[in-house]
Structures are given as structure tokens and as C-alpha cells.
Amino acid sequence: MTGARSGRRAGDSGTREAIVTAARRRFAENGYDGATIRGIAADAGVDPALVLHFHGTKERLFAASLQLTVVPGELITSVLAAERRRLGEEFTGHLGEIVVRSVLTVWEKEDARASFVGMLRSAATNEQAARMLREFVTTTIMTALSQAVGPDAGEPDPATRRYRASLVASQVIGLAFTRYVLQLAPVTSASAAELVAAIGPTIQRYLTGDLSSG
Amino acid sequence: MTGARSGRRAGDSGTREAIVTAARRRFAENGYDGATIRGIAADAGVDPALVLHFHGTKERLFAASLQLTVVPGELITSVLAAERRRLGEEFTGHLGEIVVRSVLTVWEKEDARASFVGMLRSAATNEQAARMLREFVTTTIMTALSQAVGPDAGEPDPATRRYRASLVASQVIGLAFTRYVLQLAPVTSASAAELVAAIGPTIQRYLTGDLSSG
DNA sequence: GTCTATAATCGGATAGAC
DNA sequence: GTCTATCCGATTATAGAC
């Protein structure tokens, strides 16, 4: 009879989060098409109908499981900003290594890696997921690139600028695919430091080097 | 009553080949899991049951559609041998560009590209396909690399040799993924010559350069 | 909030007629 | 060689009881 609310609180008790976590893992392991509501529900220990009760549709659940992916975008930019302050003049020269170290650091966080691997696997067979990954890659890399090289230094022409960014994407995506999806022996077992030393200069050249000759 | 064979000839009239071609295209577009017997049959203009009548199972059909992929392996090795004769002393120095030009040339052939893209898309979500791609990549790149750098010159240590090969794989696979699967704008529209100039030096460094620093 | 039941499809594979 | 008919399993999604 009082004005106080009765019944269950709106703030749920973990199952919603458990569902999203299970979804992220399943999408990462099997891609969008391969992951199933039933499997996600089983992982989360809930009824399959409950998953859709919360998120409405598989697509929206996928989007929800990737919300975390927005963070790495900002994370990379903030890491770059910090490195820029730290290195000052030398910053531009070590940009390639910084980029590689940044992505490898982000990918050591299981949630972030799962999100990205999920996008990779999904984009391979699902056009909508491919669109999402394209957008994510371009915005992330392009903004990072702008903040990194700066509007002043580096490449002024926006066309070659996009070209440089896409070359970076080809190597970064290739690294993620061989390391986490294909699991090709030496790349998978290599340490972050080794990969930074090996691939950093490649990124450096794509960002600031001469692309018309060896 | 003669000893002559009667009935239809064993050499079939094109439908078998049509099925394999349709299969290759479907696997390339949708990956192993996404491609369907029914869809392949529709593309080939035959009954779905006929597809399995010929090939028994979906797995074997996939393998059959990839049989062509063996050729590019040999093709690359022969291209490398030819270039080696042509360039002589300078060969080793231009190895990176030669590798990139080779794969891009192979991928211009629709069948070969479809086979590789099919393996890529399939490997993203199917462990068995991933195993196949791993094997294909290692044998192809490793043998090509051996014949290229030669048993004498280059890297003597087999461990770092495998490491170098896997780095090459990460960039080559990344190129294929961004150009044909993800279809990221500038990489997709770039000419072979541009990509050779941009990516060749990367491969060169992975093959023969110093990997422990910039 | 949670679950049962079920609708509506779509998948690979098989048996067997012609 | 070709096709019809069908089995059996799995999928997303919805309706509705509790």
C-alpha cells in the first residue's frame, strides 16, 4: 500500500552480463553465423528464450557484445597521446613500434581480443559484420593516424593518407588473423616484444616512408 | 553380345565440372559452413542429390574444389625459379617484390583466387579448414622460401627461418583478407604495381632483413 | 524474470524409382 | 546419370503460462 516499489529491482543480478560475456566468447570462437543463441544460453547457464527476451534479436546481441570494442579505439588514441608526450621529438620515428605494441597490449585483454577476433571471424562470411569491421578499422586507424602524425607533419594528401592507413590495416589484420584465428605456429608463439621489433618498422614505413620504391 | 561397352561413357558431359566450379565459387563467397549443397546445385543447374551422388560428402566436395590450389604452389615456385635465372645476382635483393607480384598475379586468375579466398573464409570459422590453410601456407611459403633464398644464402637457422616465413604469411594473408574479403577501399582499388612497390619491401625485410630493430 | 511449447525454415544425407 | 521423396537434426524467433 505504500508508494515504495515492490518486486524485483530493475538492476538485474548478473545474468544479463553473463549473457553478454558468453555471447562475446561464442562470437569470437565461431563468428556471427556459427554462434547460436542456444550455445550462448548454455554458456551463460540460462534459457535460450531469455537471451532474446533481453536483447530482442541475434543482431542486437552481437552489437551489444561488441560495445566494448569502442573502448580500444579510444584506448589506442590515449596510448598514442601518452607516448607522444613521453617521447617528444622522437615520437614520430617510433610510431610503428608504438602502434604494434598498442594493439598487442589491447589484445592481451581477453574481452577486447574476443571482440576483435569475433569481428574478424564474422566479417569473413557476413557482409553486415564486414561493414562494421570496415568502419571500425577506418575510424580507429584513421583517427589514431591523424592524432599520431598530426595534421601538420606527415602526409597532407588525404588520398595517400587513406592508402597508408589501409596498408597498416592489412598488416595489423593479417597479424591478428594469423596469430589468433589461424594460429600459425611461430607468429602465435612469438612474444609481443619480438613482434614489435619485427613488424614495427613495417608499420613505420607504411605511415611515413616512401611507398613508391624499395 | 559383342565385347564392346554399352551405355553412357564414363567421361561425363560437363556437369561434373560445372558442379566443382559452382562449389568453388560458393565456398569462396560464403565459406565452408555458409555454402550449401542446395545453393551449389542451383548454381550448377543440377539436382542437389546429384552433387552428393558425385562427391559423396560436403567435405570431399570442398577438397575437390580446392584441388586447383595445388597448382599456385608450384606456379609460385616456378615463377621464382624463372626470376632467379633472369635477375641472377640481383635476384635476392628483389625477392620481396617478386613474391608480392607473384601472389597478385596468381590471384588475378579467378579460379585460383576463389580457391584461396574460400580457404580464408572457411578457415575463419572451421577448424578443419584452418588446418588445411595452415598446411597450405607453410608448405607453399616454406618451399618457395627455400628455393628462393637458397639453402646456402640467407638464414641458416631453421627456427628463425620459420619465423620469417610466418611473418611473410601474416602480411600476405592480411593483404588477401583486406583486398578480397573485407574489401577495404584503397587496398581493394590499388593496382598490382602500387601494391608491389608498397608491400614488396616489407616482405623483403621479413625474408632477409634485420628483425631485431628498426 | 523465467521457462515451455511450438512455429517456420533450412541444413546434409539417404533410398530408390526411372 | 538424374531426380523425387523424405528422414532427421538444428536454427531463430514468437506466444504465452507461471
Side-chain angles (χ1 to χ4, degrees):
Chain A
M1 303 317 220
T2 72
R5 297 288 178 83
S6 63
R8 213 181 197 289
R9 289 289 159 76
D12 49 357
S13 48
T15 73
R16 191 177 188 122
E17 189 57 31
I19 289 174
V20 174
T21 304
R24 186 159 40 235
R25 199 169 66 245
R26 283 280 184 165
F27 285 130
E29 278 173 16
N30 307 113
Y32 181 82
D33 297 324
T36 67
I37 304 284
R38 286 165 152 83
I40 292 166
D43 279 10
V46 302
D47 191 273
L50 196 59
V51 176
L52 294 175
H53 174 69
F54 276 132
H55 295 94
T57 171
K58 190 183 177 182
E59 261 180 46
R60 284 177 46 193
L61 174 60
F62 182 58
S65 82
L66 259 40
Q67 281 305 339
L68 212 122
T69 325
V70 178
V71 178
E74 300 168 0
L75 209 154
I76 288 181
T77 1
S78 75
V79 166
L80 285 175
E83 288 296 306
R84 183 170 213 175
R85 279 193 301 274
R86 194 171 68 83
L87 293 175
E89 283 293 306
E90 283 190 62
F91 172 73
T92 314
H94 293 270
L95 204 49
E97 292 163 12
I98 294 170
V99 168
V100 177
R101 193 180 304 118
S102 296
V103 296
L104 286 174
T105 303
V106 167
W107 289 339
E108 268 164 20
K109 301 250 174 202
E110 179 169 338
D111 283 352
R113 184 183 64 246
S115 288
F116 192 76
V117 172
M119 294 190 86
L120 262 189
R121 284 203 157 104
S122 301
T125 51
N126 189 289
E127 178 51 34
Q128 191 174 354
R131 247 199 317 276
M132 291 175 65
L133 181 57
R134 263 195 303 270
E135 275 180 37
F136 174 69
V137 163
T138 47
T139 60
T140 297
I141 296 195
M142 285 303 287
T143 60
L145 209 142
S146 298
Q147 181 167 357
V149 182
D152 45 327
E155 187 66 55
D157 178 25
T160 37
R161 197 155 170 147
R162 273 193 294 275
Y163 183 48
R164 288 178 183 278
S166 71
L167 288 172
V168 172
S170 81
Q171 174 62 90
V172 171
I173 286 175
L175 173 61
F177 194 91
T178 51
R179 188 170 166 93
Y180 302 114
V181 177
L182 196 60
Q183 298 192 3
L184 195 63
V187 166
T188 302
S189 52
S191 72
E194 288 173 319
L195 292 172
V196 167
I199 298 180
T202 296
I203 306 298
Q204 184 69 36
R205 198 174 141 276
Y206 291 161
L207 288 176
T208 61
D210 179 16
L211 298 180
S212 58
S213 79
Chain B
M1 296 346 192
T2 71
R5 297 288 178 84
S6 63
R8 212 181 199 287
R9 288 290 157 75
D12 49 356
S13 47
T15 73
R16 192 178 187 118
E17 190 57 32
I19 289 174
V20 174
T21 304
R24 186 157 40 234
R25 199 169 67 243
R26 283 280 185 165
F27 285 129
E29 280 174 13
N30 308 113
Y32 180 82
D33 297 323
T36 66
I37 303 285
R38 287 168 154 87
I40 292 167
D43 279 10
V46 302
D47 191 272
L50 196 59
V51 176
L52 294 176
H53 174 70
F54 276 133
H55 295 95
T57 171
K58 190 184 178 181
E59 261 181 46
R60 287 177 45 195
L61 175 60
F62 182 58
S65 82
L66 258 41
Q67 281 304 341
L68 210 123
T69 325
V70 178
V71 179
E74 301 167 0
L75 207 154
I76 288 181
T77 357
S78 74
V79 166
L80 285 175
E83 289 294 307
R84 184 172 212 174
R85 281 193 301 274
R86 194 169 70 82
L87 292 175
E89 284 293 307
E90 282 192 63
F91 172 73
T92 313
H94 293 269
L95 203 49
E97 291 163 12
I98 294 169
V99 167
V100 178
R101 194 181 301 116
S102 295
V103 297
L104 285 174
T105 304
V106 167
W107 290 338
E108 267 164 20
K109 301 250 175 203
E110 179 169 337
D111 283 353
R113 184 183 62 245
S115 288
F116 192 75
V117 172
M119 294 191 86
L120 261 190
R121 285 203 157 104
S122 302
T125 51
N126 190 288
E127 179 51 35
Q128 193 174 353
R131 247 198 319 274
M132 292 176 65
L133 181 56
R134 263 195 304 267
E135 276 180 37
F136 174 69
V137 164
T138 48
T139 60
T140 298
I141 296 196
M142 285 303 288
T143 60
L145 208 143
S146 299
Q147 181 167 356
V149 181
D152 45 328
E155 186 65 54
D157 177 24
T160 38
R161 199 158 168 143
R162 273 194 294 276
Y163 184 49
R164 288 178 183 280
S166 71
L167 288 172
V168 172
S170 81
Q171 175 62 89
V172 171
I173 286 175
L175 173 61
F177 194 90
T178 50
R179 187 171 165 92
Y180 301 116
V181 177
L182 195 60
Q183 299 192 1
L184 194 64
V187 166
T188 303
S189 53
S191 73
E194 287 173 319
L195 292 173
V196 167
I199 299 179
T202 295
I203 306 298
Q204 184 68 35
R205 200 175 140 275
Y206 290 160
L207 287 176
T208 62
D210 177 16
L211 298 181
S212 57
S213 78

